[in-house]
Amino acid sequence: MMYGMIHLCNLQEKLTLTDMGILMTAAVCHDLDHPGYNNTYQINARTELAVRYNDISPLENHHCAVAFQILSLPECNIFANVDPDAFKQIRQAIITLILATDMARHGEILDSFKQKVDNFDFTNEEHVTCLKMVLIKCCDISNEVRPTEVAEPWVDCLLEEYFMQSDREKSEGLPVAPFMDRDKVTKPTAQIGFIKFVLIPMFETVMKLFPQIEEIMVQPLRDSRDHYEELKQIDDAMTEVEPVLQQTANSPAHTPCKIANWHFYK
């Protein structure tokens, strides 16, 4: 996705080659050694990662640390021939981008970008850093930009990861986020809010600077929102009909065949 955004937005004409390398390296490394339990769990459960990083973006800090452990290996050091001062700046830039993927910072980072986007200056280092942070955030949570047949299986995987966490939280007596609770969330309800209130506003803000992403990225998000809203309407209708169906199933005046046909339709 980062590769796609770089080319779609013609960033190779606006940013430096070093910036390209920073964006791509941060994108590759941003979730290294992810344990499958989010920062909220890490902090509430007082895990080793939370203790090590003082409850401050424990996962993102861990991803950075693992990335540079790997990059320190002679056979993996893609920066071996980079000047030490330049490497210091590159390292800091990669850390900044990976730490920006902590969703707890979403509002702060997007608000900062909104303040700059109408008068964006590609020669302003602060502006460019903010853009790179928003770009990696877009790529990090870009699943719904992809076609439904590609995106939906990953939504299933994500929900299963959420449910595993919420089950563990329940068993350990920890707080459970409603959007992760298998007893409270469905695929449509999980996706609608995220698409409407997180994805579309962020991508539409980026669209102000790069109008070319509307057709390829923003419109698919709108289509995905509509798709899940339709699924939710069907789920809601089924929920309303289910008690009637149950009553019908228990009535001797209705044949099993009709009940079977209903369940097949459902």
Side-chain angles (χ1 to χ4, degrees), residues 65 105 122 165 189 202 211 245:
R105 299 183 58 203
F122 279 97
Q165 175 172 318
T189 58
M202 181 166 64
L245 173 65

Side-chain angles (χ1 to χ4, degrees), residues 2 21-31 93-95 97-98 136:
M2 181 63 80
I22 289 166
L23 284 168
M24 290 299 296
T25 305
V28 169
C29 297
H30 84 286
D31 259 352
I94 291 171
I95 291 170
L97 295 197
I98 294 177
I136 196 167

Side-chain angles (χ1 to χ4, degrees), residues 206-225:
V206 174
M207 187 178 74
K208 291 183 178 180
L209 193 58
F210 304 108
Q212 61 267 44
I213 75 166
E214 179 169 18
E215 180 182 353
I216 296 175
M217 294 184 172
V218 179
Q219 190 55 48
L221 289 175
R222 296 168 180 157
D223 294 341
S224 182
R225 172 201 60 201

Side-chain angles (χ1 to χ4, degrees), residues 144-156:
E144 291 297 341
V145 170
R146 296 169 175 83
T148 302
E149 62 271 20
V150 176
E152 201 158 359
W154 288 105
V155 176
D156 294 334

Side-chain angles (χ1 to χ4, degrees), residues 26 40 44 50 67 78 90 92 110 116-117 150 162 165 173 214 230 234 259:
T40 301
N44 288 339
I78 59 176
I90 289 169
Q92 187 55 58
L110 186 57
K116 299 172 176 62
V117 70
V150 176
Y162 283 176
Q165 175 172 318
E214 179 169 18
E230 287 175 10
I234 293 171
I259 305 303

Side-chain angles (χ1 to χ4, degrees), residues 8-194:
L8 183 61
C9 300
N10 294 317
L11 292 176
Q12 64 271 28
E13 297 178 5
K14 299 176 176 68
L15 302 180
T16 67
L17 193 60
T18 299
D19 283 328
M20 301 293 126
I22 289 166
L23 284 168
M24 290 299 296
T25 305
V28 169
C29 297
H30 84 286
D31 259 352
L32 280 173
D33 199 39
H34 197 298
Y37 298 94
N38 70 11
N39 280 332
T40 301
Y41 174 82
Q42 304 295 329
I43 293 166
N44 288 339
R46 301 175 186 174
T47 65
E48 181 186 344
L49 286 182
V51 172
R52 181 182 304 157
Y53 295 111
N54 303 308
D55 295 350
I56 301 170
S57 303
L59 288 180
E60 290 72 25
N61 274 295
H62 179 60
H63 305 323
C64 288
V66 173
F68 284 99
Q69 285 168 5
I70 293 170
L71 290 167
S72 70
L73 301 173
E75 66 272 26
C76 301
N77 188 359
I78 59 176
F79 301 113
N81 297 320
V82 174
D83 175 81
D85 288 338
F87 174 71
K88 191 174 181 179
Q89 292 183 329
I90 289 169
R91 170 174 154 79
Q92 187 55 58
I94 291 171
I95 291 170
T96 296
L97 295 197
I98 294 177
L99 292 181
T101 61
D102 183 353
M103 285 302 292
R105 299 183 58 203
H106 178 79
E108 161 212 335
I109 293 169
L110 186 57
D111 286 347
S112 177
F113 184 64
K114 284 179 177 178
Q115 293 170 14
K116 299 172 176 62
V117 70
D118 291 332
N119 298 291
F120 196 86
D121 181 1
F122 279 97
T123 66
N124 185 313
E125 186 177 347
E126 184 184 345
H127 284 213
V128 171
T129 297
C130 189
L131 171 62
K132 289 189 292 185
M133 292 166 76
V134 170
L135 286 173
I136 196 167
K137 283 178 56 55
C138 285
C139 295
D140 184 25
I141 55 177
S142 62
N143 186 51
E144 291 297 341
V145 170
R146 296 169 175 83
T148 302
E149 62 271 20
V150 176
E152 201 158 359
W154 288 105
V155 176
D156 294 334
C157 291
L158 179 65
L159 284 176
E160 190 53 40
E161 184 176 295
Y162 283 176
F163 294 157
M164 285 176 63
Q165 175 172 318
S166 65
D167 290 346
R168 184 166 178 173
E169 287 167 334
K170 290 174 185 177
S171 70
E172 296 178 0
L174 298 174
V176 178
F179 72 91
M180 287 187 164
D181 192 335
R182 68 172 74 243
D183 299 322
K184 296 180 180 178
V185 72
T186 64
K187 190 193 301 187
T189 58
Q191 292 304 98
I192 291 168
F194 189 66

